[in-house]
Amino acid sequence: MLVGQQFYIKKPIALIGFMGSGKSSVAKLLSEQTGIEFVDTDKLVVQRCKQTISEIINSRGESAFRKIEADILDEVTRDKKIIVATGGGCVESAVSRGALKNCFVVWLNVSSKTAADRIIDFSSRPMFKDIENAENVLAQRNNRYEKCSNVEIDTDGKKLDDVVQEVKRVLIRKGILQQ
């Protein structure tokens, strides 16, 4: 449901961050509030491959998954009127990092503890084996998240709507989102 007036964006908006940071949920609600289409690259990978991400990684390997993910991210960020929820590991691929340069990138920062609390089904998260593993992966990725992002928003201890409003305020202030 669209709330308020129609909005426009100057360039694609990409949400990056660790699994459980809220990328898909924020993108969906931001889309509903602005009337701007959103896509979830993880869902597009699953649709295109007709396999779950776990199945892709188990049968083809993580590097093959990252290639598919990067190709899809590159493809969808060519659209100037789109909000993209990326996969948590998209920053691992140079092609994905290149595609992100075409976007205004919002890093939804989350602690591994909060991410674990938010994830309902760990079986759908092949990269989240346990808290210690998650902390190690997050520590490795944080530098890339920071380098790829235009803005960082901490999501720990915040309700979804509060994060969406914060993202929206930043996008308006930066001139990316306009009425």
Side-chain angles (χ1 to χ4, degrees), residues 105-168:
V105 181
V106 178
W107 172 22
L108 299 180
N109 194 356
V110 67
S111 68
S112 56
K113 165 89 171 79
T114 298
D117 290 345
R118 290 179 181 168
I119 295 172
I120 296 167
D121 179 12
F122 286 97
S123 68
S124 68
R125 309 290 183 138
M127 306 313 249
F128 203 127
K129 295 174 179 66
D130 55 44
I131 265 294
E132 185 177 329
N133 170 259
E135 288 171 353
N136 292 335
V137 172
L138 183 57
Q140 292 170 7
R141 289 184 184 166
N142 274 343
N143 187 41
R144 286 201 169 138
Y145 289 142
E146 183 178 8
K147 285 182 178 181
C148 291
S149 64
N150 298 101
V151 65
E152 173 188 353
I153 295 179
D154 183 20
T155 66
D156 279 0
K158 295 179 183 174
K159 294 179 182 175
L160 173 61
D161 193 56
D162 293 336
V163 174
V164 172
Q165 294 313 311
E166 189 173 347
V167 169
K168 202 156 96 175

Side-chain angles (χ1 to χ4, degrees), residues 3 15 40 67 130-131 164:
V3 178
L15 302 176
D40 183 314
K67 167 98 173 72
D130 55 44
I131 265 294
V164 172

